[in-house]
C-alpha cells in the first residue's frame, strides 16, 4: 500500500518572516498526522531557516530545484549535496514552470535526477501537457516523452526512490482542475509506463502525485483514485488552514 504524500511548493512566494511563521504553523498543526507523508519546498534562500524550524517534526524539507554539476564555477546554481547539507530530503525537478518558462529540457531534468539520487535526495519529477496538447489528443505522447527523457538510464532500484508528479500545465495556477477521471487516466498511463520499463513490482511502489489547483474541497475525490498517491500543492500550500485542509481531507 502506497502512503499518500502531500508536498507544498511555495514557488517564488513569501518573505522570510512569513515563511518562518508558515513553517511554525504547519509544524504545530500537523504534529499528530501519522497517516500521510508531508513536505514543504520553500524558495532556496529560505530552505535553511525553514528547515531549522521543522527539525524533528514530521514535515520533510525539500528544494524547488538543484543543479547536476558538482561544486565549481556555476554562478547562481545549487549543487545537490548543498541541499542535503542543509537538511533537504526532497527536490522538485522538471516543474512545468521550469520546462515551459525557463526552457529546461527532459535531458536537463535527467541529469538532475541522476545527481539528486547520487546525493541521496528523493526527486519529485514533474511531467504534464499544455492545453493545446490535450486538445490535440497528444496528452499521452507528451507525458511519455517527458517520462522517457527524464528517467533515462535510471535503474529499477533508483526508480523506486523517485516520485512522479503529474501536472497538467493548463491546471496550474489557473483554478482549472483535471477531473478525477482525467487525472486518474494519466496516472494509470504513467504507472503502466513504469511497469513496462521496470516491472509491476516497481510500478506498485512508485508514488505519483497530482499537481494542479488542488484544494481542500477537491483533494478527497482526486486522491481517492487508485493511481493518485498524493498532491504537489502550489497556492494552497501558502496558508496553514488551506494546506492542512488538504491533508485532513485525505487522512
Amino acid at each position: 500500500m502506497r502512503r499518500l504524500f502531500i508536498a507544498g511548493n511555495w514557488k517564488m512566494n513569501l518573505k522570510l518572516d512569513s515563511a518562518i511563521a508558515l513553517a511554525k504553523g504547519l509544524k504545530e498543526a500537523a504534529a499528530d498526522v501519522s497517516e500521510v507523508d508531508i513536505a514543504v519546498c520553500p524558495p532556496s534562500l529560505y530552505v535553511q531557516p525553514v528547515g531549522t524550524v521543522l527539525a524533528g517534526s514530521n514535515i520533510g524539507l525539500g528544494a524547488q530545484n538543484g543543479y547536476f554539476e558538482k561544486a565549481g564555477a556555476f554562478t547562481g546554481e545549487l549543487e545537490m549535496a548543498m541541499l542535503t547539507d542543509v537538511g533537504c530530503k526532497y527536490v522538485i525537478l522538471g516543474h512545468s514552470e521550469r520546462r515551459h518558462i525557463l526552457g529546461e529540457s527532459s535531458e536537463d531534468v535527467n541529469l538532475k535526477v541522476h545527481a539528486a539520487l547520487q546525493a541521496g535526495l528523493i526527486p519529485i519529477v514533474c511531467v504534464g501537457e499544455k492545453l493545446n496538447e490535450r486538445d490535440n489528443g497528444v496528452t499521452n505522447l507528451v507525458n511519455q516523452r517527458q517520462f522517457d527523457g527524464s528517467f533515462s538510464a535510471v535503474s529499477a532500484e533508483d526508480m523506486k526512490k523517485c516520485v512522479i508528479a503529474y501536472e497538467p500545465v493548463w491546471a496550474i495556477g489557473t483554478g482549472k482542475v483535471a477531473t478525477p477521471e482525467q487525472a486518474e487516466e494519466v496516472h494509470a498511463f504513467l504507472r503502466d509506463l513504469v511497469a513496462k520499463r521496470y516491472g509491476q513490482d516497481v510500478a506498485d511502489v512508485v508514488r505519483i502525485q497530482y499537481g494542479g489547483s488542488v484544494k481542500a474541497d477537491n483533494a478527497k475525490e482526486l486522491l481517492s483514485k487508485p493511481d493518485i498517491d498524493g498532491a504537489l500543492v502550489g497556492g494552497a500550500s501558502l496558508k496553514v488552514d488551506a494546506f492542512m485542509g488538504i491533508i485532513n481531507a485525505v487522512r
Side-chain angles (χ1 to χ4, degrees), residues 80 93 109-119 123 150-155 158:
M80 297 295 179
L93 299 175
V109 176
N110 180 244
L111 291 170
K112 294 181 177 188
V113 169
H114 284 282
L117 288 164
Q118 188 174 13
S150 299
F151 291 106
S152 177
V154 173
S155 70
D158 277 342

Side-chain angles (χ1 to χ4, degrees), residues 89 123 155 177 179:
K89 180 178 180 180
S155 70
V177 186
T179 66

Side-chain angles (χ1 to χ4, degrees), residues 67 72-78:
Y67 197 51
F74 304 103
T75 301
E77 296 292 349
L78 296 173

Side-chain angles (χ1 to χ4, degrees), residues 9-235:
N9 177 12
W10 295 359
K11 304 190 180 182
M12 196 176 72
N13 292 296
L14 307 173
K15 296 296 185 285
L16 181 57
D17 287 351
S18 53
I20 289 174
L22 177 56
K24 287 179 177 177
L26 289 173
K27 180 178 180 178
E28 181 178 346
D32 67 338
V33 177
S34 59
E35 316 93 318
V36 179
D37 288 341
I38 308 170
V40 295
C41 302
S44 58
L45 281 172
Y46 304 154
V47 166
Q48 188 167 21
V50 166
T52 298
V53 172
L54 297 177
S57 76
N58 57 345
I59 301 176
L61 183 67
Q64 297 176 19
N65 187 36
Y67 197 51
F68 55 82
E69 294 283 5
K70 295 190 181 296
F74 304 103
T75 301
E77 296 292 349
L78 296 173
E79 182 189 1
M80 297 295 179
M82 293 176 177
L83 303 179
T84 57
D85 198 32
V86 294
C88 285
K89 180 178 180 180
Y90 304 97
V91 61
I92 299 172
L93 299 175
H95 190 280
S96 66
E97 291 151 5
R98 297 203 60 85
R99 288 182 188 264
H100 300 298
I101 297 175
L102 299 171
E104 284 193 7
S105 67
S106 291
E107 291 74 19
D108 296 328
V109 176
N110 180 244
L111 291 170
K112 294 181 177 188
V113 169
H114 284 282
L117 288 164
Q118 188 174 13
L121 290 163
I122 296 172
I124 301 172
V125 183
C126 305
V127 300
E129 78 283 0
K130 294 183 286 189
L131 182 59
N132 68 308
E133 292 167 335
R134 174 167 280 273
D135 288 344
N136 289 331
V138 293
T139 292
N140 286 352
L141 178 62
V142 169
N143 285 294
Q144 180 166 0
R145 283 176 176 168
Q146 292 180 3
F147 171 87
D148 288 343
S150 299
F151 291 106
S152 177
V154 173
S155 70
E157 283 307 304
D158 277 342
M159 189 67 211
K160 291 178 182 178
K161 303 170 188 174
C162 295
V163 175
I164 301 171
Y166 168 56
E167 296 190 315
V169 180
W170 49 271
I172 297 172
T174 64
K176 297 179 180 179
V177 186
T179 66
E181 292 72 27
Q182 286 174 319
E184 168 62 17
E185 182 178 14
V186 179
H187 279 241
F189 174 74
L190 289 168
R191 197 173 305 284
D192 187 56
L193 290 180
V194 179
K196 286 177 178 175
R197 182 188 290 187
Y198 297 105
Q200 192 61 48
D201 60 327
V202 177
D204 288 341
V205 170
V206 173
R207 293 187 289 187
I208 308 176
Q209 297 175 312
Y210 172 76
S213 300
V214 179
K215 298 178 175 62
D217 60 3
N218 61 32
K220 185 172 183 179
E221 188 176 8
L222 280 165
L223 273 64
S224 68
K225 295 298 182 181
D227 290 296
I228 302 180
D229 305 316
L232 183 58
V233 184

